[in-house]
Amino acid sequence: EIVLTQSPGTLSLSPGERATLSCRASQSVSSTYFAWYQQKPGRAPRLLIYAASNRAAGIPARFSGSGSGTDFTLTITNLEPDDFAIYFCQQCSDSPYTFGPGTKLEIK
Amino acid sequence: QVQLLQSGAEVKKPGASVKVSCKASGYNFFNFGLNWLRQAPGQGLEWVGWISPSRGDTRSAEKFQDRVTMTTDTSTRTAYMELRTLTSDDTGVYYCSRDFSEGLVGLPGYWAQGTLVTVSP
């Protein structure tokens, strides 16, 4: 099973700042099968980024994904109040399709 | 637009089974796989399994293989997930989610609202 580790566990930033979230895989993952999700309390997750760097429909350009192999990054520039949430990475390269434990982005 | 609507909350006794439904609309039901995922209270996301509505073939995480059955009813565009021999560890929100694209099996792109399953004596 591919284990995904996210860091930091919690990130405290202010609106307007830049957030950098990391996800490391226990073995190499094809970029095609790597995604990022945002989840707010009491809501279903929302797909942000697929294929490591492609924004899903309706996702602002402030969100960008990068990386390959075992190291992937989600960057959010110019943070807005609505961006404070939990972010999960996911791989669907090998079954079982696994998620990272999440990074909580909180307002400082 | 793609819409997925799950059945309502369930309360079950340990040892019982639960069957959650997910009704799809707004797209060609046959063309996209459906994932089942769960989230324990305050925890992260866990992939339970996947089903192809067109072929009926399934994949599931090994820890659920012996206890989960996923099916679809193409006449009503509805997917079902049954989980048997429930324990308190099965308490959580269960989500149905459509594959983002036809070529990306297991990448949940469109999500239903979730179904809370509570297992309690």
Side-chain angles (χ1 to χ4, degrees), chain A residues 32 37 39 45 50 90 92 97, chain B residues 39 47 59 100 104 106 108 111:
Chain A
T32 301
Y37 298 84
Q39 187 177 32
Y50 65 95
Q90 188 234 0
C92 59
Y97 307 133
Chain B
Q39 189 167 36
W47 180 76
R59 305 176 188 181
F100 175 64
L104 289 175
W111 296 67

Side-chain angles (χ1 to χ4, degrees), chain B residues 22-42:
Chain B
C22 172
K23 185 170 178 61
S25 62
Y27 70 96
N28 188 329
F29 186 66
F30 294 94
N31 286 5
F32 299 88
L34 287 162
N35 298 275
W36 290 94
L37 308 100
R38 80 176 182 186
Q39 189 167 36

